[in-house]
Amino acid sequence: MRIQRCFRLRFATRTGLCILVLSFYCIFIVKYLIILLNDNSAGVREEFKANALKVPTKRQNLIIVAHGRSGSSFTGNIFNYHPSVFYLFEPYQTVERLHGGVAPFNRDYQAKSFEWMQGVFQCKFVSPKHAKDIEHYYRTVTRNYPRDEQASIALSSPPFCRYSVTDPRWNIKDCPGPLDQKTLEDVCEKKYSMTVVKALFVRMPNSSVEQLINVCDSLRDSDCKLLFLVRDPRGIVPSSKAVRFYRETNKTSMAATRKFANENCRQTKFNLEIIRKVSPSPRWRNRIKILRYEELAKNPAKLLPSLLEFAGLPMDKGLSDWLNLASHKPKTKSEQKAARWRQDSFEGADRWRWKVSPHEINIIEQCCRPVMKLLGYRPLDYSHEMQRNLNVSLLDKDFEALRWLK
């Protein structure tokens, strides 16, 4: 009994001593923190507060989805020239080259493209083989592109090149370094706060934006926004014929034009319906924007602030200066020859109105009337006078698809 009491006494004494020491230690720490926060050094206080409240930020991504010949390159370059952006030009092309072209119900293409885009949105480039394809495209396929037409400013700037593309001394020969997977991932993640990609419907599985939405929904550490770029089909279809996306062999029935216009507008309407369904969800609310190319092309300086605000990017003077040059044609022919990347975007938006025959326009309107109505494009209904009068706007300020996102 006496031994048990002695043991209990010793145990209680040791426990009490430990509690006492721990209490003094806690008091010391609290006093130290109070002194630290009341220190005259604002820098120390701010650093402490910043570290205490630091929350990991999610990777930001902006996806531009569009048809070919809809102004997607012009729109994409606006973000390409922003210093905070890691820009990739049509990354679906990598999957096409490595795993074969897109085809309906091609499950391998669907799986590989899902994995690839999921990686791109996290600055993870899947494998050395994928990185090698990026190197091939940006160092071989586009090797002869002039300085002002580089497909990715980020991949044509330090550390991949000696000089930045905005530097007149820039030359592709000064970009000797390989675009290896680790360097690509480090530069994407640490040097740029946002990834922007341009994706064409024709390269998406089933020509549907659904995969990109599913990719974004699968990511925990990344956020996505979707810029749905559209253009008047009366501008898209003739432009597509001019670059041989299809060939018209019968100028009377214009069967090839009908087929192309029908499919183009069917895809647009199909993808707009997907947008309508997902836009109310908490993840996508206020993260989808429909942009009509004509509005951007006719007044790019006016639309730039709202476009960057939607993306979550600050205004940048270098970008503003570039956009002013890119949307205005040089005055002299010698300057025009030296800077083909500079075009009159205002004139280009309506070029179809004075180049395309009323007969062809009427056929396109017949095929695309429902989607034109959704997007606020006014039909001409065979009015040659209205078509040629460029003072008459063919854009409704308010339209149904826009109201879906409000």
Side-chain angles (χ1 to χ4, degrees), residues 50-65:
N51 290 332
L53 300 174
K54 195 171 183 179
V55 178
T57 56
K58 290 186 175 183
R59 180 70 186 179
Q60 300 300 307
N61 299 282
L62 177 69
I63 311 165
I64 303 169
V65 298

Side-chain angles (χ1 to χ4, degrees), residues 139 155-164 170-172 174-177:
R139 291 294 181 268
L155 297 179
S156 303
S157 299
F160 302 113
C161 300
R162 184 178 181 183
Y163 303 108
S164 173
W170 185 90
N171 191 299
I172 191 65
D174 293 322
C175 305

Side-chain angles (χ1 to χ4, degrees), residues 319-357:
L319 168 58
S320 299
D321 292 343
W322 171 86
L323 183 58
N324 181 58
L325 291 173
S327 56
H328 293 84
K329 186 183 290 187
K331 294 181 179 179
T332 66
K333 289 187 176 180
S334 60
E335 287 178 319
Q336 291 172 16
K337 188 176 181 180
R340 297 184 185 278
W341 58 277
R342 293 184 59 188
Q343 298 292 326
D344 188 333
S345 61
F346 187 99
E347 177 189 284
D350 279 336
R351 187 174 290 122
W352 64 268
R353 294 179 69 172
W354 47 270
K355 287 192 71 174
V356 184
S357 72

Side-chain angles (χ1 to χ4, degrees), residues 211-224:
Q211 183 189 75
L212 289 169
I213 290 172
N214 290 337
V215 167
C216 290
D217 287 345
S218 73
L219 303 175
R220 292 184 178 181
D221 300 324
S222 302
D223 278 337
C224 299

Side-chain angles (χ1 to χ4, degrees), residues 266-284:
R266 183 200 67 79
Q267 289 180 11
T268 302
K269 191 172 185 296
F270 174 72
N271 283 289
L272 283 171
E273 279 296 317
I274 294 174
I275 295 304
R276 183 183 66 81
K277 291 175 182 177
V278 302
S279 60
S281 67
R283 182 175 179 89
W284 288 101

Side-chain angles (χ1 to χ4, degrees), residues 106-391:
N106 184 333
R107 291 185 179 180
D108 182 61
Y109 183 87
Q110 289 182 0
K112 298 298 184 183
S113 59
F114 189 97
E115 177 190 29
W116 171 238
M117 297 308 295
Q118 195 176 49
V120 166
F121 295 153
Q122 299 175 95
C123 289
K124 305 296 181 186
F125 294 97
V126 182
S127 75
K129 183 171 63 174
H130 289 77
K132 194 69 178 175
D133 180 79
I134 291 178
E135 180 182 344
H136 170 74
Y137 182 77
Y138 290 98
R139 291 294 181 268
T140 303
V141 176
T142 64
R143 181 175 181 81
N144 294 324
Y145 284 21
R147 178 174 67 90
D148 296 298
E149 297 180 35
Q150 287 301 297
S152 173
I153 302 300
L155 297 179
S156 303
S157 299
F160 302 113
C161 300
R162 184 178 181 183
Y163 303 108
S164 173
V165 171
T166 55
D167 191 319
R169 294 173 295 177
W170 185 90
N171 191 299
I172 191 65
K173 295 178 181 179
D174 293 322
C175 305
L179 303 181
D180 63 277
Q181 184 182 355
K182 187 179 185 307
T183 307
L184 279 171
E185 292 176 350
D186 287 345
V187 169
C188 175
E189 184 176 1
K190 297 174 182 177
K191 188 176 179 181
Y192 301 95
S193 62
M194 178 177 289
T195 297
V196 177
V197 303
K198 182 188 95 166
L200 300 184
F201 293 122
V202 70
R203 292 193 168 96
M204 300 175 196
N206 303 319
S207 302
S208 169
V209 75
E210 186 174 12
Q211 183 189 75
L212 289 169
I213 290 172
N214 290 337
V215 167
C216 290
D217 287 345
S218 73
L219 303 175
R220 292 184 178 181
D221 300 324
S222 302
D223 278 337
C224 299
K225 290 182 179 178
L226 197 69
L227 183 63
F228 197 120
L229 178 68
V230 297
R231 185 187 180 188
D232 192 324
R234 294 168 295 190
I236 290 179
V237 176
S239 180
S240 298
K241 183 174 66 173
V243 296
R244 302 295 179 90
F245 281 5
Y246 76 94
R247 290 190 178 188
E248 183 56 78
T249 56
N250 190 323
K251 294 184 178 181
T252 304
S253 67
M254 305 202 76
T257 295
R258 289 179 189 274
K259 181 179 179 180
F260 187 88
N262 269 318
E263 180 58 19
N264 185 279
C265 289
R266 183 200 67 79
Q267 289 180 11
T268 302
K269 191 172 185 296
F270 174 72
N271 283 289
L272 283 171
E273 279 296 317
I274 294 174
I275 295 304
R276 183 183 66 81
K277 291 175 182 177
V278 302
S279 60
S281 67
R283 182 175 179 89
W284 288 101
R285 189 177 297 121
N286 300 322
R287 290 178 174 272
I288 300 174
K289 182 180 180 70
I290 295 175
L291 174 66
R292 293 187 296 193
Y293 169 67
E294 292 80 8
E295 292 176 303
L296 175 63
K298 291 185 177 184
N299 204 338
K302 182 180 178 181
L303 260 70
L304 180 62
S306 62
L307 206 55
L308 294 181
E309 182 182 10
F310 168 74
L313 291 167
M315 284 291 291
D316 179 77
K317 186 179 184 303
L319 168 58
S320 299
D321 292 343
W322 171 86
L323 183 58
N324 181 58
L325 291 173
S327 56
H328 293 84
K329 186 183 290 187
K331 294 181 179 179
T332 66
K333 289 187 176 180
S334 60
E335 287 178 319
Q336 291 172 16
K337 188 176 181 180
R340 297 184 185 278
W341 58 277
R342 293 184 59 188
Q343 298 292 326
D344 188 333
S345 61
F346 187 99
E347 177 189 284
D350 279 336
R351 187 174 290 122
W352 64 268
R353 294 179 69 172
W354 47 270
K355 287 192 71 174
V356 184
S357 72
H359 175 57
E360 185 174 349
I361 293 302
N362 188 57
I363 288 173
I364 297 169
E365 289 185 354
Q366 289 175 11
C367 298
C368 297
R369 191 172 294 264
V371 80
M372 287 174 62
K373 184 178 179 181
L374 278 177
L375 295 170
Y377 290 114
R378 298 174 186 170
L380 291 168
D381 293 325
Y382 241 125
S383 173
H384 184 265
E385 181 181 350
M386 187 176 173
Q387 179 179 335
R388 293 294 191 267
N389 187 353
L390 300 184
N391 292 321

Side-chain angles (χ1 to χ4, degrees), residues 52-85:
L53 300 174
K54 195 171 183 179
V55 178
T57 56
K58 290 186 175 183
R59 180 70 186 179
Q60 300 300 307
N61 299 282
L62 177 69
I63 311 165
I64 303 169
V65 298
H67 284 293
R69 313 308 298 171
S70 64
S72 59
S73 293
F74 177 74
T75 306
N77 268 332
I78 291 176
F79 296 97
N80 188 17
Y81 273 84
H82 196 287
S84 298
V85 166

